[in-house]
Amino acid sequence: DKGNHRHFMQKEIFEQPVVVAQTLGSYLRPLAGEVSLPIPEFDFTQIRRVTIVACGTSFYAGMVAKYWFEQFARVPVDLDVASEFRYREPVLEDGGLALFISQSGETADTLAALRHARAAGQKIAVVVNVPTSSMAREADLLLPTHAGPEIGVASTKAFTCQLAVLAALAANFARAKGRLSREEEQEIVRHLAEAPAAMNAAIAHDDEIEALAPLIAKARDVLYLGRGPDYPMALEGALKLKEISYIHAEGYAAGEMKHGPIALIDEHVPVIVIAPSGPLFDKTVSNMQEVQARGGKVVLISDAEGIAAAGEGTIATIEMPRVHPLIAPLVYAVPVQLLAYHVAVAKGTDVDQPRNLAKSVTVE
Ligand code: F6R
């Protein structure tokens, strides 16, 4: 049932604050300021390496998790898309945790990768939305997302719930490794608990994003730039846009622009820049200015401080609430989803059933 919404995708975007809160509810104890996983005690101290494998949007959640696991737990992380992982002869040593991320729990490549990792002696952790799925059944550590059924083919709420679980997992891991003080853990829990309200504040900018959509709908190519844990949001924004609006879009690490993609810039290519305030802001903005200097039409997604500092010369700005860098990926996922959604509606495509795509890819 779509309720008051025109499409399932729109409904699922709007549901995110609720389902992310629901998911966090089984991973955080906010009053105690503690992270707690919904699994039996597991000894993370024995884990020497993490291998993250997924496809599509779930892979981008894994990309964000790599930043978090490295930053918080100081554990080496290997990351790959499932279709590459299976065939590249990965080196899987004892003491490895293999982490699979999937909405459906049935994606053929990811499931085959899971079985490959199990045969190679890895502990198997699964972040999955469908609790009765094959991946859920085959997990040693089952980490459910509580997004509820996702009907729109383009994944939205499952993605942000995956990020919520992965942030909690990274914090838990870090604590087990003795790398997180009580105070740091309390801080992380506090920031994560703020995510649903911040996502609501992001959704409140829906009208502005809708107003921008006709302009983007005219483009033949769109670029997305981000850095650090927000770089995967650039990739996700581009994937969402191409999936449902059929506009060619690419996401790049902002610092990679000058190594090639900047040659694409002219006045016909909108460039969506994802730049929350934080340690990487100035770096991203200097890449953005390189784009502007070549006539690029920039849409800056940032908070009030960021827009005040760098909004000059952009064609539009989309203001997000000021958030801690830890939760920025959850919050900045919202405007890129909404932008893809409204551009697709403006183009009149079938938003919930885009051409050539299936909700669950059960063939290789
Ligand atoms: C993008 C999308 C796909 C899926 C991918 C993995 O909007 O929906 O890229 O993310 O097919 O699917 P799951 O997560 O079910 O393994």
Side-chain angles (χ1 to χ4, degrees):
D1 178 15
K2 295 195 273 259
N4 298 328
H5 295 281
R6 190 160 161 201
H7 298 99
F8 281 108
M9 184 183 178
Q10 186 188 36
K11 170 175 178 265
E12 290 164 359
I13 292 171
F14 277 64
E15 265 172 12
Q16 291 180 109
V18 171
V19 295
V20 165
Q22 218 160 277
T23 299
L24 286 171
S26 64
Y27 289 82
L28 304 181
R29 295 205 192 100
L31 294 180
E34 282 171 15
V35 180
S36 80
L37 303 182
I39 51 171
E41 267 315 296
F42 177 76
D43 188 3
F44 283 102
T45 60
Q46 302 306 310
I47 300 298
R48 289 199 289 270
R49 181 171 202 92
V50 178
T51 302
I52 305 179
V53 181
C55 300
T57 289
S58 296
F59 172 74
Y60 298 147
M63 260 182 101
V64 178
K66 177 178 162 79
Y67 289 92
W68 288 338
F69 286 10
E70 290 175 345
Q71 183 189 345
F72 297 131
R74 306 299 302 149
V75 63
V77 176
D78 188 26
L79 169 79
D80 214 341
V81 290
S83 55
E84 285 300 313
F85 173 80
R86 289 171 63 190
Y87 301 110
R88 73 171 157 84
E89 302 183 29
V91 179
L92 298 168
E93 290 172 339
D94 286 353
L97 178 72
L99 170 63
F100 301 87
I101 307 167
S102 178
Q103 188 287 127
S104 62
E106 302 295 348
T107 301
D109 281 319
T110 311
L111 186 57
L114 182 160
R115 289 172 180 161
H116 181 82
R118 171 167 314 282
Q122 306 294 287
K123 273 276 173 211
I124 307 296
V126 170
V127 176
V128 69
N129 196 46
V130 178
T132 53
S133 60
S134 304
M135 285 182 222
R137 282 196 305 275
E138 296 189 26
D140 298 320
L141 308 181
L142 174 59
L143 301 162
T145 48
H146 300 292
E150 193 179 62
I151 311 292
V153 163
S155 185
T156 53
K157 62 176 181 169
F159 175 62
T160 45
C161 287
Q162 288 166 350
L163 292 174
V165 168
L166 292 165
L169 181 63
N172 194 285
F173 211 141
R175 183 181 63 199
K177 291 218 153 200
R179 298 202 173 268
L180 211 58
S181 68
R182 271 300 292 140
E183 292 69 36
E184 285 166 329
E185 183 174 0
Q186 282 168 344
E187 277 287 286
I188 286 178
V189 170
R190 195 166 62 75
H191 295 311
L192 286 175
E194 285 164 2
M199 293 170 84
N200 251 324
I203 289 171
H205 292 270
D206 186 43
D207 289 349
E208 283 156 56
I209 298 171
E210 185 175 7
L212 181 63
L215 190 74
I216 306 296
K218 287 204 287 267
R220 203 186 59 171
D221 310 282
V222 179
L223 300 184
Y224 289 74
L225 306 183
R227 263 186 189 259
D230 302 304
Y231 162 41
M233 296 308 111
L235 297 170
E236 171 62 2
L239 179 63
K240 285 284 100 84
L241 189 72
K242 58 190 141 187
E243 275 186 296
I244 61 170
S245 77
Y246 315 143
I247 295 173
H248 171 242
E250 298 299 336
Y252 291 104
E256 272 292 293
M257 277 305 280
K258 55 167 107 29
H259 300 286
I262 201 157
L264 296 171
I265 300 299
D266 65 21
E267 66 280 14
H268 304 296
V269 183
V271 182
I272 317 295
V273 177
I274 301 163
S277 287
L280 302 174
F281 177 78
D282 290 339
K283 295 273 174 204
T284 310
V285 165
S286 93
N287 303 130
M288 179 184 108
Q289 286 161 346
E290 289 156 14
V291 166
Q292 288 175 308
R294 284 154 188 86
K297 297 270 178 289
V298 169
V299 174
L300 173 63
I301 312 181
S302 186
D303 43 48
E305 289 90 328
I307 290 170
E312 192 92 9
T314 60
I315 58 163
T317 57
I318 304 172
E319 188 185 316
M320 294 292 103
R322 174 79 194 247
V323 295
H324 188 270
L326 172 66
I327 66 165
L330 286 99
V331 176
Y332 284 68
V334 172
V336 298
Q337 294 166 346
L338 285 171
L339 185 62
Y341 173 74
H342 288 299
V343 171
V345 171
K347 293 200 76 172
T349 59
D350 187 344
V351 171
D352 284 333
Q353 288 290 334
R355 69 186 182 199
N356 309 343
L357 294 175
K359 182 65 188 159
S360 180
V361 184
T362 52
V363 290
E364 243 191 78

